[in-house]
Amino acid sequence: MSDIIKNISWFFGLILFQILILDEIDIGPYSVYFSPMLFSYLILRLKLDTSVSILLLYAFLIGITVDIFKDTIGLNAAALLFVAILRKNFLSIISERDEFDSMVELDFFNLGFVRYLIYFGLGMITHHFVFALIEGFSFNAFLFLLYKSLINTVFALAILFFIQYLIIKKK
């Protein structure tokens, strides 16, 4: 399957899953803690040779699309742009400079479990935290925002792990 079709499939699949399933889960008073956002995976999984301008364009388009459906007025776009800017730094934490083939998409099977947790964990907690920080527009509840971001990142990583395990074929 070509890269464009694969990226479009992941985009629509994750956006629909996010909007139709995850956003509709109500767990009572604990719903304030539960709002995992999976779509930062779309930015983090792109091939290493993706240019920065294309990466930023993807991040903005994905973020603004989700913002339209979730009525969050650019919050996801800003958070995803921040993740896209830091993506190279997250990669440098898990690997040496030329350790991965630049034509390989980053997923659980290509990274391994520990690197998957570190790389996608850093990217997703950054997205969740920046989103919550901009949404609250205050550092007064810093520990609450960090706790909420951590919980949502753990849930998002677990969900993405199972989605990848079901969809992506082992090589």
Side-chain angles (χ1 to χ4, degrees):
M1 188 180 326
S2 76
D3 290 338
I4 295 173
I5 294 172
K6 192 184 303 184
N7 288 338
I8 291 172
S9 300
W10 272 104
F11 172 77
F12 283 114
L14 280 180
I15 299 296
L16 288 173
F17 184 73
Q18 178 76 45
I19 293 168
L20 298 176
I21 296 173
L22 283 180
D23 290 347
E24 298 301 319
I25 294 175
D26 183 17
I27 52 176
Y30 300 107
S31 290
V32 71
Y33 296 103
F34 186 78
S35 60
M37 296 178 272
L38 304 178
F39 42 87
S40 57
Y41 173 75
L42 297 169
I43 298 301
L44 296 169
R45 74 180 285 276
L46 291 174
K47 293 181 179 179
L48 297 176
D49 67 345
T50 305
S51 71
V52 175
S53 57
I54 296 296
L55 191 66
L56 292 174
L57 180 66
Y58 282 166
F60 179 74
L61 291 175
I62 292 166
I64 206 70
T65 302
V66 173
D67 285 330
I68 289 169
F69 286 109
K70 293 180 80 164
D71 196 26
T72 51
I73 318 169
L75 298 178
N76 283 301
L80 278 179
L81 284 169
F82 193 70
V83 169
I85 290 168
L86 293 178
R87 178 180 184 244
K88 203 167 226 134
N89 296 336
F90 300 149
L91 282 169
S92 68
I93 291 172
I94 64 163
S95 69
E96 297 295 322
R97 185 167 191 188
D98 295 326
E99 190 172 338
F100 294 113
D101 182 14
S102 64
M103 297 303 290
V104 172
E105 290 177 347
L106 301 172
D107 59 32
F108 172 74
F109 297 108
N110 292 330
L111 291 177
F113 187 70
V114 173
R115 287 181 175 172
Y116 167 82
L117 285 179
I118 294 169
Y119 175 66
F120 284 101
L122 286 171
M124 292 201 168
I125 199 164
T126 301
H127 177 245
H128 283 101
F129 184 73
V130 169
F131 178 86
L133 191 62
I134 296 171
E135 184 181 41
F137 205 65
S138 172
F139 281 105
N140 290 339
F142 182 80
L143 290 177
F144 172 74
L145 296 178
L146 194 59
Y147 179 68
K148 180 179 173 181
S149 301
L150 184 63
I151 288 173
N152 287 321
T153 299
V154 168
F155 278 114
L157 285 174
I159 292 167
L160 282 172
F161 172 76
F162 288 115
I163 289 173
Q164 288 180 67
Y165 200 77
L166 293 173
I167 293 176
I168 300 174
K169 304 282 188 263
K170 252 187 181 177
K171 295 173 178 137

